[in-house]
Amino acid sequence: SSEPVRYRTAEMADAMLGSGHPAEQAVLLSVVPGEERDSQARASALAKEACDTAAGGEGCSPAVPLGKGREQAGLETVLPAPGDEVNGTDSAKVPKVNCEERNITGIERFTLQILNVSQDLMELLNPNSSDCTLVLFYTPWCRFSASLAPHFNSLPRAFPTLRFLALDASQHSSLSTRFGTVAVPNILLFQGAKPMARFNHTDRTLETLKDFIFNQTGIEAKSDVAVTEADWEGPLPSVMTKGIDWLLLFSLLFLATFVMYATIRTESIRWLIPGQEHEHQE
């Protein structure tokens, strides 16, 4: 009918309950580290006295001896072993491209450089250095290039230690072929004069471009940079320009000329049709 007795420590519970007789009153043991030995001594004396009373003075041994085979949980702080410590260097993500950040001393305005027809990209890239350059292949009549323009214009302010270049792929067809530009816009990360990574996301915004550069180089962008009205104006145009695609026009003219020539000279190209050569011999 009485309420169950609550013990402060596991040692006292073992001492009092090991004899099979409940204690008449709860004894509180101190959990202060300095008083731990005194608490254990009092618990041992209590257990021995209870056992002597119950067994007629013959004595008894607890199921688990005090101080042996049982840890003093909660009374001391267990420090991790040196080998168990987490290595922060190994857990951090290692950048794929180790870029050498350029010296920005004396540079007041960080902006994008657009190559003209006479400039060559390989002349602007130093093959003997480890600095990184982000190069954009675009065309002024592509609407995807126009929508990317303000976001790409703001990147030099977000990463002042990197270089940013842009070139018209229709005017630099040899470079487009060399670096596999089959569609625009195409963004390549160069280390020196060697292409190291390509931006393949369809969501071309300032945030995705920041994530791409950070994942590749480990360089963090400035948090206070955002797309402004000046970025919509230039240097990369954000409005499509209507122009003539001379390469497409030349292809259509060549195809039309070939069809007309084939129609006129039907007898001359009959040998191109399978089976016509045998019919002529018969």
Side-chain angles (χ1 to χ4, degrees):
S1 61
S2 60
E3 296 182 358
V5 180
R6 303 189 178 202
Y7 302 99
R8 197 54 165 302
T9 62
E11 286 74 20
M12 182 178 177
D14 289 338
M16 303 306 296
L17 299 179
S19 61
H21 296 275
E24 295 181 358
Q25 59 182 357
V27 179
L28 300 179
L29 297 184
S30 173
V31 293
V32 179
E35 301 178 6
E36 180 182 356
R37 293 183 179 178
D38 298 337
S39 301
Q40 292 182 1
R42 287 197 298 269
S44 300
L46 259 169
K48 186 176 183 304
E49 182 178 352
C51 290
D52 292 341
T53 304
E58 294 180 358
C60 64
S61 58
V64 180
L66 291 176
K68 296 181 180 180
R70 182 180 295 273
E71 297 179 357
Q72 301 298 325
L75 298 181
E76 59 181 349
T77 304
V78 179
L79 298 177
D84 298 334
E85 294 181 358
V86 179
N87 192 340
T89 305
D90 296 338
S91 61
K93 187 174 182 180
V94 180
K96 300 177 183 178
V97 183
N98 188 14
C99 296
E100 179 183 353
E101 301 184 18
R102 64 170 180 167
N103 187 9
I104 59 176
T105 304
I107 303 177
E108 299 179 356
R109 187 167 178 259
F110 301 95
T111 183
L112 169 69
Q113 180 181 356
I114 300 180
L115 277 67
N116 54 37
V117 181
S118 60
Q119 288 179 313
D120 187 7
L121 174 64
M122 306 314 297
E123 295 179 356
L124 299 177
L125 300 178
N126 186 3
N128 299 323
S129 66
S130 299
D131 58 344
C132 293
T133 306
L134 204 67
V135 180
L136 168 64
F137 293 77
Y138 77 100
T139 52
W141 44 263
C142 174
R143 64 184 182 93
F144 299 105
S145 299
S147 62
L148 169 65
H151 303 276
F152 203 84
N153 288 333
S154 61
L155 278 179
R157 301 195 310 273
F159 298 91
T161 58
L162 301 179
R163 297 177 61 197
F164 295 88
L165 302 175
L167 57 92
D168 189 346
S170 61
Q171 296 179 356
H172 298 82
S173 56
S174 60
L175 291 174
S176 301
T177 304
R178 178 177 180 178
F179 297 112
T181 302
V182 296
V184 291
N186 182 28
I187 302 174
L188 295 178
L189 175 64
F190 284 80
Q191 184 180 32
K194 182 180 179 181
M196 303 298 294
R198 186 190 304 271
F199 182 82
N200 293 320
H201 298 280
T202 55
D203 185 18
R204 305 178 185 92
T205 61
L206 177 60
E207 296 302 323
T208 56
L209 291 171
K210 284 182 179 179
D211 294 339
F212 168 73
I213 297 175
F214 175 74
N215 293 334
Q216 296 295 330
T217 65
I219 301 176
E220 295 186 0
K222 290 189 174 182
S223 58
D224 58 343
V225 176
V227 179
T228 62
E229 294 183 359
D231 295 327
W232 287 90
E233 298 177 358
L236 196 65
S238 59
V239 179
M240 291 188 300
T241 58
K242 295 181 180 180
I244 300 175
D245 189 353
W246 295 105
L247 182 60
L248 179 60
L249 181 60
F250 176 78
S251 301
L252 293 176
L253 291 175
F254 176 80
L255 182 60
T257 304
F258 179 78
V259 171
M260 292 178 61
Y261 178 80
T263 304
I264 296 173
R265 302 294 300 272
T266 303
E267 297 296 331
S268 300
I269 63 171
R270 185 181 293 274
W271 59 274
L272 294 175
I273 305 175
Q276 293 296 326
E277 182 179 358
H278 300 286
E279 293 178 5
H280 181 72
Q281 291 179 355
E282 293 176 357

